[in-house]
Amino acid sequence: VHAQPYRDALARLASVESSDVVVQGTAWRLLRPLSRGERTDLWHVERTRTPTERGILKLARTPETTAEGPVLAALAATGSPIIGSLLPALISFGPVTSAQHLGQYAVIMRAAPTFTHDLTAVSRLYPAGIDPAIGVWMWRRLLEILRILREAGVCHHAVEPAHLIVESGKHGLRLVGFGNARLGEKWGSNAATTSARLIRGLISSPPQRIGQLLEEASADVRIGETATDILDLHRRIGDAAAAEFGPPRFRPLSLPR
């Protein structure tokens, strides 16, 4: 009666190729390398069992980069309905148990093929700056992300252009790079100030109301100290945008494929 589960487990083990990576009992096939950072490697992977799924595997080469999985799991546990569009979607995490990369810490996230360019790349593509109306929705998305982190007690430690990915053809912005993130740690910088300085360096010739808000938020560290403050700034940006650009409308950023 109990032999079949044992035989199934043996079959799964036999199906794992030497190049596969096993995390939490699931084998993932390495498809192609995506990037190599100072402490981690990124791979495009595919789950070997049915139903298959494409994902992004982040392999840590140093033992101190093990915080990302628990932090993303804690953020997902908040149940916020917008987390999936603003942060990486976690599949699993833990040490690799297969021969390939044995013992290395791994985080597997769902692939997000529509998120194609980080803000560093956007700056290179638009050296004169992006349309201020596009910069406004990016700023508001970034504040939504920072509010979620603040409410969950997460300090990211690396909110910078290389970790902010724009969704091609849509109004999407996603924060990645949680390798240095910590739970329950006091924020070292102000959310509103961080967001305003990032956006101010990205847009060209903001109109008066938007420019004033950017200057105010960039300089005044008292703005955005709490989640309520962040929501208030989010509302003020919306009001200023309506006064400058009219009713909200779809304004995606044009990016090459």
Side-chain angles (χ1 to χ4, degrees):
V1 176
H2 302 292
Q4 189 59 46
Y6 178 72
R7 286 196 293 269
D8 291 343
L10 286 177
R12 285 196 298 271
L13 286 174
S15 68
V16 176
E17 297 184 1
S18 60
S19 60
D20 292 345
V21 168
V22 177
V23 180
Q24 296 290 335
T26 298
W28 295 83
R29 189 142 299 145
L30 300 178
L31 299 179
R32 60 184 176 90
L34 295 174
S35 66
R36 181 176 177 85
E38 291 183 4
R39 296 179 297 173
T40 60
D41 298 316
L42 280 183
W43 285 81
H44 195 198
V45 296
E46 183 176 57
R47 186 166 51 198
T48 60
R49 64 175 172 81
T50 303
T52 61
E53 181 179 13
R54 293 288 175 96
I56 303 298
L57 168 68
K58 190 171 187 179
L59 277 172
R61 297 195 306 275
T62 57
E64 67 269 17
T65 53
T66 59
E68 187 151 3
V71 168
L72 290 177
L75 287 166
T78 64
S80 172
I82 63 173
I83 276 184
S85 62
L86 301 174
L87 302 173
L90 180 69
I91 296 177
S92 66
F93 65 94
V96 175
T97 56
S98 53
Q100 179 85 324
H101 302 290
L102 179 65
Q104 282 185 252
Y105 185 82
V107 177
I108 300 173
M109 300 161 282
R110 285 194 171 82
T114 57
F115 286 85
T116 55
H117 293 70
D118 64 33
L119 292 189
T120 301
V122 170
S123 292
R124 288 197 300 267
L125 289 167
Y126 290 88
I130 64 172
D131 181 341
I134 293 175
V136 162
W137 69 251
M138 287 187 181
W139 191 9
R140 299 185 86 201
R141 288 290 179 278
L142 179 51
L143 286 172
E144 290 162 11
I145 294 169
L146 296 176
R147 179 181 63 82
I148 289 172
L149 299 189
R150 181 61 60 94
E151 289 180 337
V154 170
C155 186
H156 185 277
H157 281 296
V159 180
E160 56 193 43
H163 290 152
L164 288 159
I165 317 297
V166 182
E167 188 172 19
S168 181
K170 298 186 179 180
H171 280 191
L173 187 71
R174 179 170 287 186
L175 178 64
V176 299
F178 280 78
N180 294 318
R182 296 293 182 268
L183 281 165
E185 188 172 301
K186 183 177 175 61
W187 279 44
S189 60
N190 178 277
T193 302
T194 298
S195 68
R197 289 174 179 172
L198 280 170
I199 299 301
R200 188 174 62 174
L202 191 66
I203 66 177
S204 63
S205 305
Q208 182 181 5
R209 289 177 176 84
I210 300 300
Q212 286 175 344
L213 272 178
L214 283 168
E215 290 298 326
E216 180 184 351
S218 295
D220 191 345
V221 296
R222 295 170 298 177
I223 299 176
E225 290 184 336
T226 69
T228 301
D229 293 337
I230 296 171
L231 279 175
D232 181 62
L233 178 58
H234 187 278
R235 177 193 57 77
R236 291 173 63 197
I237 296 168
D239 291 343
E244 297 284 7
F245 308 122
R249 63 184 179 88
F250 188 54
R251 300 175 188 267
L253 182 64
S254 177
L255 296 168
R257 295 191 175 186

